[in-house]
Amino acid sequence: MKNRQWLIAARPLGRGLLDSDFTLTDGEARSPEDGEALVRTLYLGFDPAQKGWMENIGGYVAPTEIGDVMRGSGIGEVLESRHPNLKAGDKVSGQLGWQEYAALNARDLVKLEDDDLLTANLGALGTTGMTAYFGLLKHGRPQPGDAVIVSGAAGATGSMVGQIAKIAGCRTIGIAGGPEKCAWLTRECGFDAAIDYKSEKKLRAKIKELAPGGVDVIYDNVGGTILNDMLACMAMHARVVICGGISRYETGQLPAGPENYFNLIFMRATMEGFIVLDYMNEYPKARARMRQWIRDGKITFKEDVQEGFENAPRTLMRLFRGENFGKQILKVA
Amino acid sequence: MKNRQWLIAARPLGRGLLDSDFTLTDGEARSPEDGEALVRTLYLGFDPAQKGWMENIGGYVAPTEIGDVMRGSGIGEVLESRHPNLKAGDKVSGQLGWQEYAALNARDLVKLEDDDLLTANLGALGTTGMTAYFGLLKHGRPQPGDAVIVSGAAGATGSMVGQIAKIAGCRTIGIAGGPEKCAWLTRECGFDAAIDYKSEKKLRAKIKELAPGGVDVIYDNVGGTILNDMLACMAMHARVVICGGISRYETGQLPAGPENYFNLIFMRATMEGFIVLDYMNEYPKARARMRQWIRDGKITFKEDVQEGFENAPRTLMRLFRGENFGKQILKVA
């Protein structure tokens, strides 16, 4: 059976992604062995970390090789199963990779409820939602009444962070690019305020106006000057969660580090990083809560669904250009 | 009674200290009121934070005004007391300021043992030692077997940090400027290794050679490129203690922030700041331990004693030029 695959053709280290970083090939779908299932890819999910995986930075996932099938999470339908827990027709999520078919160990696949929240398993109920949940709750440690600020707030992770913080009784401020995203944050996602960094010339002053007592929790997805400005506005004993750094991914020269790290001293503050995979054994409980919050209308989300397997590289590039509005998904079949 | 005083004449914000930032005046010693003691200054102690106090940065101590007596800690002898806990002849420490005599509230003075460790109350047994003790133990949270790296290691704080880490069962690496300081760290202070940043061209490679498994605790007194290089060498779950940033104090342009803050993510690491004054109610216990460790020969220290009250500004400047070797002290009387 013909199996189109996108392979890693080059490492985009220190530069933006190029079309030539990927090669589209016609492979063959392998038959499943004992314990495996053959899955047809329905949707792929996209995340900035995928560029880092191509570069082999971080070391928290197995290294990639040039010529490997591009790594990525997806949702698929089981075509054939040689494991008792799965049967043909089941919907599953897992690291399917950028290919139309994948024969994978059944233990690496999560069986999904086949309902209206199917694609949410790539976003709010997937690694994105888990990243927001554990990053905020384990590392931001929000207390009721805290002021929580989130950069990249209209992104798939950032918008979840603000909504979970709201459930936790916090005041929430989002930083996002453009009036449309900002309006969505305050009108749909329940953020108390949103700052459009593209039009706001005095970001620090604006944050201080919105959080006169300082921000207790900073959840950063961006890095660069936005992180630095947020660090200028900390409350005493603030917690700074370093989740991502989209401003760092596209540039040849890394943006300067945050010189206001020194405020950690005066504010007796903490800056922490985390890898969400470390909390994997707590995912089921978190997923159940997120699902309930969605059903209760306390958490909303957007999905940006592109179409066509051939568009996978261009779909990933959308993330780095701020073109996506909502969780970036590609409908493959 | 004539009382020479050094007043703050200008704020050295964003530049090095100048002679003209201070004015020497002849004041009068005030008589003590009820509850106060009149103290004659014997020694003054110096710390980089004093420049920050002149600039009113940080906000963790009361603001200074131009024309104020320059703030600073010292050791003095009680000349006259109007408080039952002190009597003439007692040796005390406190925020005496840069003046020959001070009438101060007795509750703000600590009565000292008048023994061979008298001046150590400005260093190992004073705020310097407390900064090392609480910064390392509360924020570095060292475990036996950990690799601990300290910048500004030959400084009054840094050398204490390494020695306390050694007592806690850690391997200790110091970064200092020049072969003399490095030799002192390994031969006298028991550091396992010392790196001379002035001659070492490949600081990161050297750290990785000395700590192949990465450093578990980073205690930074310097900032700038040295902090950035240390952040490139973290072990998993590393703790980074931000104590000071001597590289930041002299320059008009702040050095770039540490771009490797992003490694906090991959290493699941924590960066924390602290103000030692927050631990003041735990000082007595810490002082007693430090005193015992000194008596047991487990902690050694150096003092760099300059002389003459008129030399106070120049003595402070020595810190920012790396001229002092050991706790910077000025003998006043």
Side-chain angles (χ1 to χ4, degrees):
Chain A
M1 191 163 56
K2 203 182 98 173
N3 182 20
R4 287 193 296 170
Q5 300 176 313
W6 278 106
L7 310 183
I8 301 174
R11 303 202 187 283
L13 196 64
R15 60 167 173 81
L17 287 167
L18 302 172
D19 288 334
S20 57
D21 293 333
F22 306 91
T23 310
L24 183 61
T25 61
D26 285 325
E28 272 289 312
R30 186 167 64 74
S31 293
E33 298 175 5
D34 273 352
E36 290 188 332
L38 178 66
V39 176
R40 184 170 68 120
T41 304
L42 301 177
Y43 298 94
L44 290 173
F46 295 79
D47 188 276
Q50 288 175 278
K51 181 167 184 280
W53 300 346
M54 296 172 74
E55 299 166 9
N56 282 337
I57 62 164
Y60 62 97
V61 292
T64 56
E65 301 285 344
I66 301 295
D68 280 358
V69 173
M70 176 63 186
R71 212 170 275 177
S73 59
I75 290 172
E77 179 177 2
V78 175
L79 297 183
E80 182 188 347
S81 173
R82 295 186 60 183
H83 188 283
N85 289 0
L86 292 175
K87 62 177 190 304
D90 282 349
K91 300 293 197 301
V92 294
S93 68
Q95 287 291 321
L96 305 184
W98 288 10
Q99 52 190 341
E100 294 180 298
Y101 301 94
L104 295 167
N105 193 316
R107 283 175 304 189
D108 296 331
L109 296 167
V110 176
K111 191 172 164 178
L112 304 175
E113 289 187 52
D114 190 4
D115 61 8
D116 58 315
L117 292 179
L118 183 65
T119 53
N121 289 290
L122 292 172
L125 301 175
T127 305
T128 303
M130 298 299 99
T131 299
Y133 182 97
F134 290 105
L136 176 68
L137 299 180
K138 298 272 189 186
H139 298 274
R141 299 182 289 277
Q143 299 287 304
D146 276 355
V148 176
I149 192 163
V150 187
S151 65
T157 302
S159 61
M160 293 292 131
V161 170
Q163 293 178 88
I164 299 169
K166 198 78 205 165
I167 293 168
C170 302
R171 288 194 59 248
T172 51
I173 303 166
I175 302 176
E180 193 195 0
K181 288 179 178 175
C182 287
W184 179 66
L185 288 175
T186 51
R187 290 181 200 160
E188 307 283 329
C189 296
F191 278 65
D192 293 287
I195 305 173
D196 178 0
Y197 73 85
K198 289 183 177 171
S199 67
E200 180 57 60
K201 297 290 177 232
K202 294 183 173 174
L203 186 54
R204 281 182 212 199
K206 187 70 185 172
I207 297 170
K208 285 178 179 170
E209 177 196 321
L210 291 169
V215 290
D216 301 285
V217 179
I218 294 172
Y219 193 108
D220 184 47
N221 296 300
V222 172
T225 59
I226 290 180
L227 172 59
N228 201 47
D229 283 336
M230 294 192 294
L231 290 175
C233 304
M234 287 189 285
M236 284 271 281
H237 300 292
R239 287 81 66 197
V240 184
V241 184
I242 304 297
C243 176
I246 194 89
S247 72
R248 300 167 58 87
Y249 296 152
E250 280 279 273
T251 46
Q253 177 99 29
L254 281 180
E259 61 184 37
N260 287 329
Y261 82 98
F262 207 69
N263 280 348
L264 293 173
I265 294 183
F266 304 130
M267 293 299 125
R268 296 79 159 161
T270 299
M271 183 185 283
E272 298 184 18
F274 71 101
I275 295 289
V276 70
L277 302 174
D278 294 344
Y279 299 107
M280 202 177 272
N281 57 357
E282 298 182 57
Y283 281 11
K285 179 171 165 181
R287 272 208 189 93
R289 291 183 180 184
M290 293 288 282
R291 180 175 279 272
Q292 189 60 49
W293 289 333
I294 293 168
R295 292 296 182 211
D296 293 345
K298 290 181 178 168
I299 283 191
T300 187
F301 57 89
K302 256 193 189 308
E303 293 175 341
D304 181 323
V305 184
Q306 303 293 306
E307 297 203 11
F309 182 71
E310 62 282 6
N311 294 319
R314 292 295 177 109
T315 306
L316 179 58
M317 291 175 200
R318 291 173 60 80
L319 293 177
F320 298 98
R321 296 174 187 156
E323 290 173 0
N324 64 306
F325 185 5
K327 177 66 188 181
Q328 185 65 68
I329 292 174
L330 181 68
K331 187 173 182 187
V332 172
Chain B
M1 190 162 56
K2 201 182 98 173
N3 182 20
R4 288 192 296 169
Q5 300 176 314
W6 278 106
L7 309 183
I8 301 175
R11 302 202 188 283
L13 195 64
R15 59 167 173 80
L17 287 167
L18 302 173
D19 288 335
S20 56
D21 293 333
F22 306 91
T23 310
L24 184 60
T25 62
D26 282 326
E28 271 290 310
R30 185 167 65 73
S31 291
E33 299 176 5
D34 272 352
E36 290 187 332
L38 177 66
V39 176
R40 183 169 68 120
T41 305
L42 301 177
Y43 298 94
L44 290 173
F46 295 80
D47 188 277
Q50 288 175 276
K51 180 168 184 281
W53 300 344
M54 296 172 73
E55 299 165 11
N56 282 338
I57 62 165
Y60 62 97
V61 292
T64 56
E65 301 285 344
I66 301 294
D68 279 358
V69 173
M70 175 63 186
R71 213 170 275 177
S73 59
I75 290 173
E77 181 176 1
V78 174
L79 296 184
E80 182 186 348
S81 173
R82 294 185 60 182
H83 188 283
N85 289 0
L86 291 177
K87 61 177 193 303
D90 282 348
K91 299 294 197 301
V92 294
S93 68
Q95 287 291 321
L96 306 185
W98 287 11
Q99 53 189 341
E100 293 179 299
Y101 300 93
L104 296 167
N105 194 315
R107 283 176 303 190
D108 296 331
L109 296 168
V110 176
K111 190 170 163 178
L112 305 175
E113 289 187 50
D114 190 6
D115 60 7
D116 58 317
L117 292 179
L118 183 65
T119 53
N121 289 290
L122 292 173
L125 300 175
T127 305
T128 303
M130 297 300 99
T131 300
Y133 182 97
F134 290 104
L136 177 68
L137 299 180
K138 298 272 188 186
H139 298 274
R141 299 182 288 277
Q143 298 288 302
D146 276 356
V148 176
I149 192 163
V150 188
S151 65
T157 303
S159 61
M160 292 293 133
V161 170
Q163 293 177 86
I164 298 168
K166 198 76 204 168
I167 293 168
C170 301
R171 286 192 61 246
T172 53
I173 303 166
I175 301 177
E180 192 194 0
K181 288 179 178 175
C182 287
W184 179 67
L185 289 175
T186 51
R187 290 182 199 159
E188 308 282 330
C189 296
F191 279 64
D192 292 288
I195 305 173
D196 177 0
Y197 73 84
K198 290 184 176 170
S199 67
E200 180 58 60
K201 298 290 178 228
K202 296 181 173 174
L203 186 54
R204 281 182 212 200
K206 187 67 185 176
I207 296 170
K208 285 179 178 169
E209 177 195 320
L210 291 169
V215 290
D216 301 285
V217 179
I218 294 173
Y219 194 108
D220 183 46
N221 296 300
V222 172
T225 58
I226 289 180
L227 172 58
N228 202 46
D229 284 336
M230 294 192 295
L231 290 174
C233 305
M234 287 190 285
M236 286 270 281
H237 301 290
R239 286 83 65 199
V240 184
V241 185
I242 304 297
C243 177
I246 194 89
S247 72
R248 300 167 57 89
Y249 297 151
E250 280 280 272
T251 46
Q253 177 99 29
L254 281 180
E259 61 183 38
N260 288 328
Y261 83 97
F262 208 68
N263 281 347
L264 293 173
I265 295 183
F266 304 129
M267 293 298 126
R268 295 82 158 159
T270 300
M271 182 186 283
E272 297 184 18
F274 71 101
I275 295 288
V276 70
L277 301 174
D278 294 343
Y279 299 107
M280 204 177 268
N281 57 357
E282 299 182 57
Y283 280 11
K285 179 170 164 180
R287 272 210 188 93
R289 290 183 181 183
M290 292 288 282
R291 179 174 277 272
Q292 189 60 48
W293 288 333
I294 293 168
R295 293 297 181 211
D296 293 346
K298 288 179 178 170
I299 283 191
T300 187
F301 58 89
K302 255 191 188 310
E303 293 175 341
D304 180 323
V305 185
Q306 303 292 308
E307 296 202 13
F309 182 70
E310 63 281 5
N311 294 319
R314 292 298 178 106
T315 306
L316 180 58
M317 291 176 200
R318 291 173 61 80
L319 294 177
F320 298 98
R321 297 174 185 156
E323 291 173 359
N324 64 307
F325 186 4
K327 178 66 190 180
Q328 185 66 68
I329 292 174
L330 181 68
K331 187 173 181 184
V332 172

